[in-house]
Amino acid sequence: MIKKESINDLVIFGGEQAFREKLYVGCPNIGNRQRLLTRINEALDRRWLTNNGPNVQEFEKKVSEYIGVKHCIAVCNGTMGLEIASKAVALTGEVIVPSFTFVATAHALKWMGITPVFCDIDSDTYMMDPRLIEELITQHTTAIMGVHLWGRPCKIEEISQIADKHNLKVLFDAAHAFGATYKGKNIGNFGNAEVFSFHATKFLNTFEGGAIVTNDDHLALKIRSMKNFGFDSGDNVISLGINGKMNEISAAMGLTMLEDVDELIAGNYRHYTEYGKALAGTKGIELMSYDEPEKYNYQYIVLEMDEEISGVTRDQLVKILNLENVLVRTYFAPGCHNMAPYCTAPSNFKQNLTVTESLAGRVICLPTGSAITKEQINHICEIIRFVIKNGEEIKTRMDELQ
Ligand code: T4K
């Protein structure tokens, strides 16, 4: 690790890279390699590689038990999970979603021929603002899809009340929120169904994968059939279906990760407190807090910048860190409504998203997970503090470079 003593030590001004190795946001947790390889070998020996194999069945059972939900249906990825869940609860027309989310939330709906109607977030929690939902409801609205952004629960109670009042379905994109709670109850137990992602970048990963969870017996049966071409438990096709199945290797990874889930969360928590300590008091910078006593998985370390105070702009800090081999991300800029194909949609589907637009220009996600060490975190924070301390001078020099 190379220390920065003068601004000329920054790569952007000709210095040496702070880190030789790349530190990625989203760098996967691997878990116990030996137990994973044993499970994979067993699957190979069984010659049962997919189609509701024993690993998938065990993974579904363990996920259900972990979150205390009646049904877990493992799928090949979170996006497919959102699509199948939307189909299973018969969504059509328009669905109200936040714009400040990963684009998969909106794409899953659009792919199904449904129009996402973007709702702004509130400036305290950055979750979809329930006070703005009712004015977006039209005769075509069939559901509200909340997103537990960065693993913090959205305003589930308020969303559910509005949905009840207007007879709408409720789905939650819980891609980030495995292991989190809302008012003491595990995420996965709310709405008609919730959908997790177990993509490689999630703290609990199955390479690619996801799960739809629900307490509704009838819906679970329908989802189980739909993710397998519409087959019932035998040889009869009873509905339109698709191939949304998880394979045995992915489930082997999921089972192995589940064995260490509490340790993974504890590790993320240590990183989160480490960042908090190391950045405390840095002007113009605030770490997004996870409000206890709820539980979280702490997979997203989100830094919010106030450019007027920090001297440098958010994009300048991102550029500096990336050049130092700290591959930070600006999740989830610029907001779905500013991406194709939504940016060309009629303006009434993406109005007044001022909080979204402001936040999208201020956030940076920092690396965490089991691949990064406490020393590396402290060094990342040292660079951030150094850049902010010399913010004005760095900004002037960077502006000149353009
Ligand atoms: N809803 C929400 C709210 C979501 O955030 C997501 C996915 C979904 C739905 C859909 O779930 P899935 O269908 O994906 O299961 C990444 C992930 O691909 C995506 O799963 C995730 N959200 C999103 C937040 O992040 P990108 O476009 O940022 O991926 P990429 O390739 O740029 O990689 C992200 C970072 O992770 C980089 O810093 C590199 C690092 N990385 C990535 C992989 C795959 C590694 O270090 N190793 C790896 O193996 O979307």
Side-chain angles (χ1 to χ4, degrees):
M1 288 184 266
I2 308 289
K3 299 255 175 210
K4 308 287 169 188
E5 265 141 27
S6 116
I7 70 168
N8 292 323
D9 294 336
L10 294 169
V11 176
I12 188 129
F13 302 129
E16 228 183 300
Q17 268 183 324
F19 295 95
R20 286 197 205 298
E21 64 288 14
K22 290 187 185 335
L23 305 177
Y24 287 105
V25 167
C27 187
N29 294 328
I30 301 298
N32 186 302
R33 213 174 273 237
Q34 203 45 56
R35 292 202 302 266
L36 170 65
L37 294 176
T38 302
R39 283 194 168 98
I40 292 175
N41 272 324
E42 286 167 0
L44 296 177
D45 289 344
R46 278 194 295 269
R47 291 182 188 260
W48 195 274
L49 305 185
T50 184
N51 289 13
N52 204 28
N55 282 346
V56 165
Q57 289 183 35
E58 190 184 345
F59 181 62
E60 289 180 338
K61 185 166 173 284
K62 295 248 162 83
V63 168
S64 305
E65 284 167 3
Y66 188 78
I67 58 179
V69 68
K70 275 171 91 175
H71 305 281
C72 166
I73 300 105
V75 286
C76 54
N77 61 60
T79 310
M80 179 61 81
L82 289 171
E83 288 170 9
I84 294 173
S86 302
K87 188 89 179 165
V89 298
L91 303 192
T92 57
E94 296 168 10
V95 171
I96 298 167
V97 288
S99 167
F100 198 81
T101 175
F102 188 59
V103 73
T105 315
H107 276 359
L109 293 167
K110 186 78 178 163
W111 197 261
M112 303 295 295
I114 298 160
T115 302
V117 175
F118 296 115
C119 183
D120 210 358
I121 49 180
D122 79 59
S123 52
D124 294 330
T125 65
Y126 304 140
M127 300 297 154
M128 181 154 64
D129 189 341
R131 293 167 303 183
L132 305 174
I133 292 177
E134 281 194 289
E135 66 198 52
L136 299 174
I137 296 174
T138 70
Q139 56 177 342
H140 305 295
T141 310
T142 53
I144 306 171
M145 187 184 279
V147 179
H148 307 310
L149 189 77
W150 296 317
R152 302 189 311 169
C154 65
K155 300 197 167 170
I156 294 176
E157 225 164 65
E158 291 89 333
I159 289 174
S160 305
Q161 276 163 9
I162 297 167
D164 282 351
K165 182 172 156 198
H166 294 271
N167 200 19
L168 302 173
K169 298 284 186 341
V170 179
L171 292 179
F172 290 107
D173 179 338
H176 305 168
F178 188 78
T181 59
Y182 173 77
K183 301 199 172 171
K185 193 170 174 182
N186 287 317
I187 293 295
N189 286 282
F190 298 99
N192 295 94
E194 301 202 59
V195 178
F196 295 117
S197 165
F198 300 127
H199 181 261
T201 55
K202 303 296 180 284
F203 89 103
L204 189 149
N205 85 79
T206 60
F207 297 83
E208 288 273 3
I212 309 168
V213 288
T214 179
N215 284 308
D216 179 332
D217 300 341
H218 176 69
L219 184 62
L221 263 181
K222 208 165 160 188
I223 291 169
R224 201 167 275 294
S225 162
M226 279 183 165
K227 72 114 198 232
N228 183 27
F229 308 107
F231 279 102
D232 62 9
S233 50
D235 273 346
N236 306 309
V237 174
I238 53 167
S239 72
L240 178 64
I242 197 158
N243 183 354
K245 290 167 281 147
M246 178 181 274
N247 67 62
E248 286 291 280
I249 307 284
S250 288
M253 182 71 162
L255 283 168
T256 309
M257 302 291 294
L258 266 176
E259 287 166 357
D260 292 332
V261 68
D262 294 332
E263 180 43 41
L264 289 170
I265 292 176
N268 272 354
Y269 180 70
R270 282 194 294 275
H271 288 349
Y272 161 67
T273 51
E274 210 56 53
Y275 272 115
K277 268 189 279 167
L279 291 174
T282 313
K283 62 174 183 162
I285 271 186
E286 210 171 309
L287 261 204
M288 179 193 74
S289 67
Y290 289 93
D291 302 325
E292 288 160 28
E294 296 293 357
K295 287 204 225 156
Y296 305 97
N297 57 46
Y298 301 95
Q299 175 70 359
Y300 288 89
I301 306 289
V302 184
L303 192 111
E304 199 184 324
M305 275 182 82
D306 182 339
E307 296 182 351
E308 308 234 319
I309 304 176
S310 58
V312 284
T313 67
R314 187 276 305 267
D315 291 343
Q316 286 173 329
L317 181 57
V318 168
K319 188 164 186 186
I320 290 169
L321 290 171
N322 285 350
L323 286 169
E324 300 294 343
N325 256 349
V326 185
L327 284 308
V328 301
R329 300 297 294 247
T330 55
Y331 288 141
F332 291 95
C336 297
H337 69 292
N338 280 324
M339 297 176 188
Y342 314 105
C343 51
T344 53
S347 62
N348 50 331
F349 294 131
K350 50 182 172 91
Q351 274 174 349
N352 302 327
L353 297 163
T354 50
V355 185
T356 299
E357 297 207 341
S358 156
L359 186 66
R362 283 186 283 129
V363 283
I364 303 182
C365 285
L366 299 169
T368 187
S370 60
I372 195 165
T373 64
K374 181 176 164 180
E375 289 68 35
Q376 287 169 326
I377 289 176
N378 277 309
H379 194 44
I380 293 171
C381 295
E382 255 175 52
I383 300 171
I384 295 173
R385 287 198 311 266
F386 176 81
V387 171
I388 304 288
K389 190 168 151 225
N390 298 287
E392 275 164 34
E393 194 186 349
I394 291 174
K395 183 173 190 317
T396 311
R397 293 247 328 247
M398 282 181 82
D399 288 346
E400 282 165 10
L401 282 179
Q402 282 190 335

